[in-house]
Amino acid sequence: MKKTLMVAALTGVFATAAHAQSSVTLYGLIDAGVTYANNSGGHSLWKASSGTVNGSRWGLRGSEDLGGGLKAIFTLESGFNIDNGTASQSSRMFGRQAFVGLASNQYGAVTLGRQYDSVVDYLAPLSNTGTQYGGTIAAHPYDNDNLNNSVRFNNTIKYSSVNYAGFKFGGTYSFSNSAQFANNRAYSFGASYNWAGLNVAAGYLQLNNSLSGTPFANGNTNTAVTGAGAQTGEWTFLAGRQRTFGGGVNYTFGPATAGIVYTQTNLGGGVGGGISSTQSGRTGGIGFNGASARFQNFEGNVRYALTPALSLAGAYTYTRANLGGGVNPNYNTVALQSDYALSKRTDVYLQGDWQHISSNSANIGAYLNGLGSASSTQDQVAVTVGMRHRF
């Protein structure tokens, strides 16, 4: 009888230990508010907004300890619109992220699925738009460098290194899943270094797509590979190839952090296309006047914690664009934010964004991301009052 009780007790102990080796966490973030814009398609606009700073999402992440410093990991993350409950990212169930892989304490992690590129992983955290201090409306024009992760990548294998005394690096490759191997694929790599208050990062991203002589970067829902390619269903520019690269540095001293970020996006293989209508807010989008286009973004940002609960942040971005044919609009974008934490999980914020276009803009109206329509003039202003809750 005593032996039976001992065996039962030991079995319970081992079962508990085995259970402790694996875990699953439910998490999420809800961002909701009210936005006013002075000019959206020629009219003032009041609207309920979802994800003005951070996209609303919920997800599951988990791990299982396999022993020897190795574990299995996964993440399933779904984006949604809090205003109407619909799914984001082209109505995907897990449109933000969906991957599984192995992580080693010594060698890093390899994951497979729908994932972020290396520019988002390494460089975006140094930018105002890639953090909780700016977000969607503060993105560089049309999110041309993807720092606000407008595009996520299907069929992706990713490597992420461990932290080597502050240095980290990684890369991605996104398969076309097509017999035309190079069509609708993408790849990226990046690195960052952190020492004391200093942060330095750089990244590179390339997207390729050229099907039946009609090239489109960032996917094309009208091609034979719909639903299969690396970027299908999400795109910003009509071009055969997109190359984005950049670097940044910031430094934290006491309660303040200041930084600069530079990115450049080069578009090639154009066939008279341009910025998509969903991005430009105009039917047919903004056309390129040649086979190529370029965007250069120069951002300076700063944030300051007045108290443990109250923070201020701001950024100025100068974007120099060349759309071909002598059309060279310059974008001046300012984002300001104040945020007050009601608790560790809940905060309220006030954010203002302004954009002005100058220099041979060819009647291109200002366009702050996420407002739905471009301005009918060279200026656009948006003010948002909102709250975020994390769980």
Side-chain angles (χ1 to χ4, degrees):
M1 182 65 180
K2 290 183 178 179
K3 290 183 179 180
T4 302
L5 291 174
M6 184 176 294
V7 170
L10 289 173
T11 302
V13 169
F14 288 128
T16 301
H19 178 73
Q21 290 177 346
S22 62
S23 65
V24 176
T25 301
L26 171 67
Y27 67 93
L29 182 151
I30 301 171
D31 183 333
V34 176
T35 298
Y36 166 78
N38 71 321
N39 188 318
S40 178
H43 304 278
S44 60
L45 171 70
W46 287 92
K47 73 168 191 172
S49 54
S50 174
T52 297
V53 179
N54 299 118
S56 298
R57 83 290 299 262
W58 71 273
L60 298 168
R61 66 167 64 98
S63 66
E64 180 188 14
D65 190 347
L66 303 176
L70 184 68
K71 61 183 178 180
I73 58 174
F74 79 89
T75 293
L76 300 172
E77 188 173 284
S78 176
F80 63 91
N81 187 319
I82 189 63
D83 293 327
N84 54 29
T86 57
S88 302
Q89 291 83 47
S90 303
S91 299
R92 290 177 170 88
M93 179 179 292
F94 297 110
R96 291 182 63 89
Q97 299 183 84
F99 64 82
V100 65
L102 296 173
S104 165
N105 293 338
Q106 185 176 0
Y107 301 108
V110 176
T111 50
L112 300 96
R114 179 173 170 85
Q115 303 179 75
Y116 296 124
D117 64 88
S118 296
V119 172
V120 170
D121 288 342
Y122 296 96
L123 182 57
L126 275 62
S127 171
N128 181 267
T129 180
T131 67
Q132 62 179 340
Y133 302 100
T136 301
I137 296 183
H140 301 161
Y142 315 106
D143 195 21
N144 65 79
D145 48 18
N146 203 41
L147 292 186
N148 195 50
N149 55 69
S150 294
V151 182
R152 295 165 175 85
F153 296 92
N154 302 328
N155 316 323
T156 299
I157 181 169
K158 173 188 286 191
Y159 171 75
S160 304
S161 78
V162 296
N163 189 327
Y164 296 101
F167 177 70
K168 297 184 292 183
F169 62 93
T172 68
Y173 187 89
S174 304
F175 291 90
S176 67
N177 278 13
S178 166
Q180 297 174 300
F181 184 78
N183 288 335
N184 204 355
R185 67 173 178 173
Y187 52 89
S188 68
F189 50 86
S192 65
Y193 177 71
N194 173 264
W195 181 76
L198 177 68
N199 289 274
V200 181
Y204 177 86
L205 167 65
Q206 180 160 330
L207 301 83
N208 295 335
N209 194 27
S210 180
L211 292 169
S212 302
T214 307
F216 295 87
N218 300 5
N220 177 9
T221 57
N222 297 317
T223 69
V225 296
T226 297
Q231 315 99 37
T232 296
E234 296 177 356
W235 54 282
T236 303
F237 300 108
L238 299 176
R241 180 179 61 252
Q242 176 175 333
R243 290 173 174 159
T244 295
F245 61 89
V249 57
N250 69 24
Y251 187 76
T252 299
F253 43 99
T257 299
I260 56 174
V261 173
Y262 170 81
T263 61
Q264 180 170 317
T265 291
N266 297 316
L267 305 168
V271 288
I275 301 164
S276 72
S277 58
T278 57
Q279 295 291 322
S280 70
R282 295 186 173 192
T283 303
I286 299 172
F288 299 153
N289 296 288
S292 63
R294 182 179 65 191
F295 292 85
Q296 290 179 286
N297 306 284
F298 305 83
E299 177 190 326
N301 58 66
V302 63
R303 49 185 180 264
Y304 187 86
L306 290 173
T307 70
L310 179 62
S311 65
L312 302 176
Y316 167 73
T317 302
Y318 172 71
T319 301
R320 185 166 57 195
N322 184 338
L323 303 182
V327 179
N328 305 304
N330 296 324
Y331 300 78
N332 299 273
T333 308
V334 175
L336 300 172
Q337 183 196 94
S338 62
D339 182 90
Y340 184 77
L342 301 174
S343 69
K344 290 183 178 179
R345 295 185 176 183
T346 304
D347 62 305
V348 292
Y349 63 85
L350 172 65
Q351 181 162 313
D353 299 272
W354 169 75
Q355 185 179 98
H356 173 75
I357 295 182
S358 61
S359 180
N360 193 14
S361 61
N363 297 318
I364 298 174
Y367 176 72
L368 291 168
N369 295 278
L371 293 186
S373 294
S375 173
S376 61
T377 70
Q378 293 176 291
D379 293 274
Q380 191 170 53
V381 175
V383 178
T384 301
V385 177
M387 69 171 290
R388 287 175 291 195
H389 177 73
R390 301 163 180 83
F391 60 89

